[in-house]
Amino acid sequence: MNTPAHDLPLDLERMRADVAGMLGEAPETIGDDDNLIDLGLDSMRVLGLVLAWGNTGIALEFSHLAEHATLAGWWGVVQRLQGSAARA
């Protein structure tokens, strides 16, 4: 299992690359609207992503991502959290 790239800013393409790494796939194979659970992403891998992405300074929690099953949904959550952090 590949570990997420901690030194990169959290953007949609980093998220795509990190998810792809967890699944052993190429980033371009992960579509914005693909169901990540159907692709094989389990809760332990999601937790690993949450922990890695939380190191970027946003208050990301497992429950935020559990509400969504797509990269597009996750990116929307991250954008809201990043906006909240910027206003704080």
Side-chain angles (χ1 to χ4, degrees):
M1 173 170 55
N2 294 340
T3 56
H6 297 284
D7 57 339
L8 299 174
L10 190 54
D11 61 19
L12 179 59
E13 292 315 308
R14 175 189 165 179
M15 292 175 71
R16 184 184 322 279
D18 289 349
V19 168
M22 287 285 189
L23 296 172
E25 301 289 339
E28 59 273 10
T29 66
I30 309 296
D32 291 355
D33 296 315
D34 289 346
N35 184 309
L36 301 174
I37 308 309
D38 289 348
L39 294 179
L41 199 64
D42 60 29
S43 60
M44 292 305 293
R45 290 179 174 149
V46 173
L47 184 56
L49 292 168
V50 168
L51 293 173
W53 295 341
N55 289 333
T56 64
I58 60 171
L60 186 63
E61 297 178 13
F62 180 85
S63 62
H64 294 136
L65 300 186
E67 297 173 12
H68 306 277
T70 66
L71 192 58
W74 287 6
W75 177 234
V77 168
V78 167
Q79 286 182 304
R80 285 190 297 278
L81 291 171
Q82 287 174 333
S84 296
R87 289 189 295 272

